[in-house]
């Protein structure tokens, strides 16, 4: 075991750095939502087994001990197939799917009963997903031997057809989503409310708790899926698993971690239920380096965990059940570091390299040179300014229209730009989503609503023709092209289809809308090439005071 501990980086314990890695901010919904059981409610396990005892979990390694197993877990992997860049501000050269497999293999060799789970958003964030549509990520899930997963909001980024293609590629991995109803979609056979998996001598129940789709996922991408608040179903589903023979229940949650006790998030779920023993969280990209326990309605302690994002750490929990069935936990985050490079699975690595070769040549094409890093931030940053100004340029290029306003969402900027050569792959990492340019016409009164939304968000990427002062998350002043907004005048807004499809913030009242056919990341590549051509090969950006927070 000392050898395993050294390999895992646990002597001494080394935690993971805790930045804000651009997680999606979850809005607190109301308690309304659709009810009903997925797949008709007859067999919630979806395969007629009802939690049979021979399903899943490795039983190699040491001799089985009574009521003891290990669960390894990930969340918000975001297609980080390769390790993070050595130039990253946080967690440089951490992560990488080859290293994660080396860790998983090592634990399985040392422990008799091991499960592997994921809490959502395994995809989206690098050009692997942009170009290969999740194929590499799903094959990796199969090769690593994941037992169970839940669905995050970014699993919908290739729409329902794309999600179906991905789930079919890793059909051995059970998918649980207790508060999403897929029964009216073509994916109902892939997704179940819950499941029971045998881990050594322990029957482990799993439920999935999923984030609200409204205002987070393009409604055209999740057509037919019904959501209800997780608290409405979590405890009933957990109890149902116990009635079926589960010794304990783990919730795979993509709700997010907040320090408050609001019932929508992981802590609130734990406090307001009776039958959940552990929550493996996701969505908020939180590094919970140390165990956090919350007391449930029975006075029992519930463990809440989360590994951050991008495969920087692998979650580890050894769970022992006492004679009364009460679990105890040994929990840690295992850093995924380069010391694992000596232990890589050769065949798996070669397979990943084969896919890498398919995308590397195009992604390594140099667009220009950045004399210094271009950082993101709020309410204003060099990268957010550059992004919004790019939308105005795109509107001119595509339609010959001079847009008054360029608006992007902060969550759509997924990476920063390092100093040095800028490649196509770098741009794809910043803008990985399959959005397109939308150019819309708004009346001034609706444009004011849009800026109220910008202010309530603390500031979003806007173009240089706008000058805005925010006070207390409200608009104190705003001008467009140096003038006050006229309620009855027409204004042209260059944005993306994702924001338009939300049909909120005044955008739903657009009197005209045009959507480009080209994916937005390729438009950004063209814009960066334009900047390089205009500036002798150099690409720079700066702040200029277009948004101020008082």
């Amino acid at each position: 075991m000392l050898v395993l501990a050294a390999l895992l980086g646990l002597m001494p314990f080394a935690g993971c750095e805790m930045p804000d890695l651009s997680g999606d901010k979850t809005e607190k919904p109301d308690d309304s939502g659709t009810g009903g059981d997925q797949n008709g409610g007859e067999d919630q396990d979806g395969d007629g087994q009802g939690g049979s005892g021979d399903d899943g979990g490795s039983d190699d390694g040491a001799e089985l001990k009574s009521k003891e197993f290990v669960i390894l877990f990930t969340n918000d992997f975001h297609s980080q197939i390769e390790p993070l860049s050595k130039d990253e501000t946080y967690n440089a050269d951490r992560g990488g799917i080859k290293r994660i497999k080396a860790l998983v293999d090592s634990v399985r060799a040392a422990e008799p009963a091991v499960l592997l789970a994921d809490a959502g958003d395994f995809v989206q964030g690098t050009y692997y997903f942009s170009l290969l549509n999740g194929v590499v990520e799903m094959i990796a899930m199969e090769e690593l031997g994941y037992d169970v997963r839940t669905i995050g909001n970014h699993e919908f980024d290739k729409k329902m057809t794309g999600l179906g293609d991905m789930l079919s590629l890793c059909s051995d991995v059970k998918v649980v989503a207790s508060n999403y109803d897929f029964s009216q979609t073509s994916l109902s056979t892939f997704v179940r409310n819950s499941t029971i998996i045998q881990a050594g001598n322990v029957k482990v129940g799993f439920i999935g708790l999923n984030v609200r789709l409204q205002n987070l996922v393009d409604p055209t991408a999740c057509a037919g899926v019904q959501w209800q608040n997780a608290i409405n179903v979590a405890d009933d589903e957990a109890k149902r698993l116990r009635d079926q023979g589960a010794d304990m229940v783990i919730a795979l949650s993509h709700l997010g971690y907040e320090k408050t006790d609001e019932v929508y998030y992981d802590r609130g779920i734990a406090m307001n239920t009776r039958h959940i023993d552990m929550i493996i969280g996701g969505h908020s990209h939180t590094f919970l380096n140390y165990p956090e326990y919350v007391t449930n309605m029975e006075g029992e302690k519930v463990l809440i965990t989360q590994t951050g994002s991008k495969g920087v750490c692998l979650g580890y929990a050894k769970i022992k059940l006492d004679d009364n069935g009460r679990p105890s936990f040994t929990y840690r985050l295992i850093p995924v570091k380069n010391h694992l490079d000596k232990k890589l699975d050769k065949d798996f690595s070669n397979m990943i390299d084969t896919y890498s070769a398919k995308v590397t040549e195009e992604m390594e094409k140099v667009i220009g040179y950045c004399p210094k890093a271009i950082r993101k931030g709020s309410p204003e940053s060099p990268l957010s300014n550059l992004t919004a100004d790019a939308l105005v340029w795109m509107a001119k290029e595509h339609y010959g229209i001079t847009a008054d306003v360029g608006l992007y969402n902060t969550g759509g900027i997924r990476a920063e730009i390092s100093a040095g050569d800028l490649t196509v792959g770098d741009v794809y990492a910043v803008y990985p989503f399959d959005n397109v340019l939308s150019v819309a016409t708004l009346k001034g009164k609706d444009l004011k609503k849009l800026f109220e939304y910008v202010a309530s968000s603390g500031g979003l990427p806007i173009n240089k023709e706008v000058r805005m002062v925010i006070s207390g998350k409200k608009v104190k002043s705003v001008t467009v092209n140096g003038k006050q907004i006229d309620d009855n005048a027409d204004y042209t807004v260059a944005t993306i289809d994702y924001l338009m499809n939300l049909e909120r913030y005044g955008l739903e009242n657009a009197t005209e809308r045009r959507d480009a056919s080209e994916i937005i990341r390729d438009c950004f590549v063209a814009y960066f090439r334009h900047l390089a051509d205009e500036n002798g090969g150099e690409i720079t950006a700066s702040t200029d005071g277009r948004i101020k927070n008082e």
Side-chain angles (χ1 to χ4, degrees):
M1 292 301 292
L2 289 177
V3 174
L4 175 62
L7 176 63
L8 301 187
L10 303 178
M11 299 180 65
F13 169 74
C16 294
E17 300 168 70
M18 303 172 68
D20 174 8
L21 290 179
S22 301
D24 301 292
K25 184 63 177 178
T26 309
E27 294 184 31
K28 178 179 176 291
D30 59 28
D31 282 336
S32 63
T34 58
D37 289 330
Q38 205 162 285
N39 298 326
E42 293 298 323
D43 171 33
Q44 301 298 326
D45 195 32
D47 56 8
Q49 296 180 5
S52 63
D54 59 353
D55 188 14
S58 68
D59 55 5
D60 300 326
E63 181 182 352
L64 280 172
K65 297 180 181 179
S66 178
K67 300 295 184 179
E68 177 179 317
F69 72 100
V70 167
I71 186 164
L72 304 174
F73 48 93
T74 54
N75 62 271
D76 299 277
F77 179 68
H78 285 300
S79 300
Q80 194 63 52
I81 301 298
E82 304 292 343
L84 290 170
S85 166
K86 294 179 181 179
D87 297 324
E88 288 285 330
T89 304
Y90 297 99
N91 296 307
D93 197 29
R94 293 280 189 95
I97 196 66
K98 300 175 187 177
R99 295 171 180 173
I100 292 174
K101 187 175 190 303
L103 274 178
V104 172
D105 290 347
S106 298
V107 175
R108 284 182 174 141
E111 296 287 347
V114 180
L115 297 179
L116 180 59
D118 182 73
D121 279 4
F122 201 78
V123 296
Q124 186 58 276
T126 71
Y127 52 72
Y128 280 91
F129 186 64
S130 300
L131 296 180
L132 300 179
N133 301 316
V135 170
V136 182
E137 296 90 325
M138 297 304 100
I139 291 176
M141 267 197 157
E142 283 278 322
E143 290 293 321
L144 267 68
Y146 274 83
D147 297 286
V148 62
R149 62 186 293 197
T150 195
I151 293 175
N153 49 294
H154 286 297
E155 264 75 38
F156 293 101
D157 282 354
K158 298 289 185 180
K159 301 188 182 296
M160 293 294 284
T161 301
L163 176 56
D165 291 341
M166 287 188 284
L167 294 181
S168 66
L169 284 172
C170 57
S171 57
D172 290 338
V173 185
K174 295 194 172 187
V175 185
V176 291
S178 305
N179 59 309
Y180 284 165
D181 182 357
F182 279 82
S183 62
Q184 301 303 310
T185 76
S186 61
L187 305 186
S188 59
T189 57
F190 288 109
V191 185
R192 64 198 76 196
N193 279 16
S194 59
T195 192
I196 296 175
I197 300 176
Q198 191 82 23
N201 295 322
V202 183
K203 291 183 177 180
V204 186
F206 288 92
I207 63 174
L209 306 180
N210 309 99
V211 69
R212 180 178 64 172
L213 299 172
Q214 184 182 9
N215 301 323
L216 185 63
V217 173
D218 185 332
T220 66
C222 56
V225 180
Q226 298 297 316
W227 172 90
Q228 63 173 312
N229 200 322
I231 194 63
N232 295 347
V233 299
D235 216 25
D236 288 344
E237 196 63 34
K239 182 179 184 301
R240 194 186 68 80
L241 291 176
R242 289 188 182 278
D243 291 343
Q244 286 189 350
D247 295 304
M248 66 173 297
V249 176
I250 297 174
L252 301 180
S253 167
H254 204 75
L255 300 176
Y257 175 88
E258 294 284 343
K259 292 183 179 180
T260 69
D261 298 336
E262 293 182 60
V263 72
Y264 177 72
Y265 303 106
D266 289 344
R267 284 175 51 87
I269 292 287
M271 293 175 64
N272 290 278
T273 53
R274 302 176 185 274
H275 302 289
I276 297 170
D277 299 288
M278 176 183 182
I279 296 177
I280 296 174
H283 190 57
S284 56
H285 297 191
T286 308
F287 290 90
L288 292 176
N289 279 308
Y290 300 98
E292 174 156 348
Y293 292 95
V294 173
T295 303
N296 72 5
M297 295 178 69
E298 293 290 319
E300 301 289 346
K301 298 294 185 182
V302 178
L303 174 63
I304 297 177
T305 69
Q306 197 174 149
T307 71
S309 69
K310 299 187 178 182
V312 166
C313 296
L314 178 68
Y316 171 101
K318 177 171 279 189
I319 302 173
K320 299 180 182 180
L321 275 63
D322 64 18
D323 292 340
N324 296 316
R326 185 175 287 109
S328 61
F329 304 88
T330 301
Y331 163 76
R332 59 176 61 91
L333 297 186
I334 305 171
V336 181
K337 303 171 71 174
N338 60 11
H339 71 284
L340 294 162
D341 291 343
K342 299 177 181 178
K343 300 289 184 179
L344 301 183
D345 180 314
K346 183 177 179 181
D347 291 339
F348 179 72
S349 296
N350 288 340
M351 182 191 68
I352 294 297
D353 290 343
T354 299
Y355 284 103
S356 299
K358 294 181 179 180
V359 298
T360 296
E361 182 178 356
E362 177 63 26
M363 292 300 101
E364 289 185 348
K365 289 181 179 178
V366 175
I367 298 170
Y369 179 80
C370 298
K372 64 179 182 179
I374 303 176
R375 303 296 188 190
K376 60 182 179 176
S378 182
E380 180 189 5
S381 70
L383 188 52
S384 63
N385 287 358
L386 182 152
T387 299
D389 291 342
L391 294 172
V392 175
W393 178 86
M394 292 174 200
K396 190 72 170 178
E397 287 292 302
H398 278 265
Y399 301 116
I401 295 172
T402 300
D404 301 295
V405 176
L407 177 71
Y408 206 74
N409 59 318
T410 302
I413 302 174
R414 305 300 285 191
E416 295 181 331
I417 294 175
S418 301
D421 286 340
L422 178 71
T423 66
V424 173
D426 295 328
V427 178
Y428 273 40
V430 177
Y431 311 105
F433 301 111
D434 288 356
N435 300 126
V436 299
L437 172 71
S438 284
V439 179
T441 302
L442 295 183
K443 288 294 185 183
K445 61 181 181 179
D446 292 311
L447 185 60
K448 287 181 178 179
K449 291 181 183 179
L450 185 60
F451 284 126
E452 288 170 3
Y453 164 60
V454 172
S456 69
S457 302
L460 294 175
I462 56 174
N463 59 309
K464 61 187 177 184
E465 287 77 19
V466 175
R467 286 293 183 269
M468 185 174 188
V469 178
I470 300 171
S471 179
K473 291 197 173 182
K474 294 183 180 297
V475 177
K476 182 176 181 180
S477 66
V478 61
T479 61
V480 176
N481 297 317
K483 298 178 181 179
Q484 300 293 319
I485 298 173
D486 181 344
D487 284 355
N488 298 312
D490 288 330
Y491 294 86
T492 303
V493 178
T495 184
I496 54 175
D497 61 327
Y498 167 72
L499 291 177
M500 291 297 301
N501 290 343
L502 294 179
E503 295 185 342
R504 294 185 67 185
Y505 318 119
L507 293 172
E508 72 276 14
N509 296 324
T511 58
E512 185 179 4
R513 172 180 172 179
R514 302 182 188 182
D515 284 2
S517 59
E518 190 175 9
I519 298 296
I520 196 76
R521 57 178 171 268
D522 292 320
C523 297
F524 278 112
V525 169
Y527 178 68
F528 280 105
R529 285 191 171 126
H530 162 73
L531 292 180
D533 291 343
E534 291 287 312
N535 297 283
E538 286 195 355
I539 298 168
T540 60
S542 62
T543 57
D544 55 19
R546 62 186 69 178
I547 299 185
K548 294 181 180 179
N549 252 326
E550 291 187 346

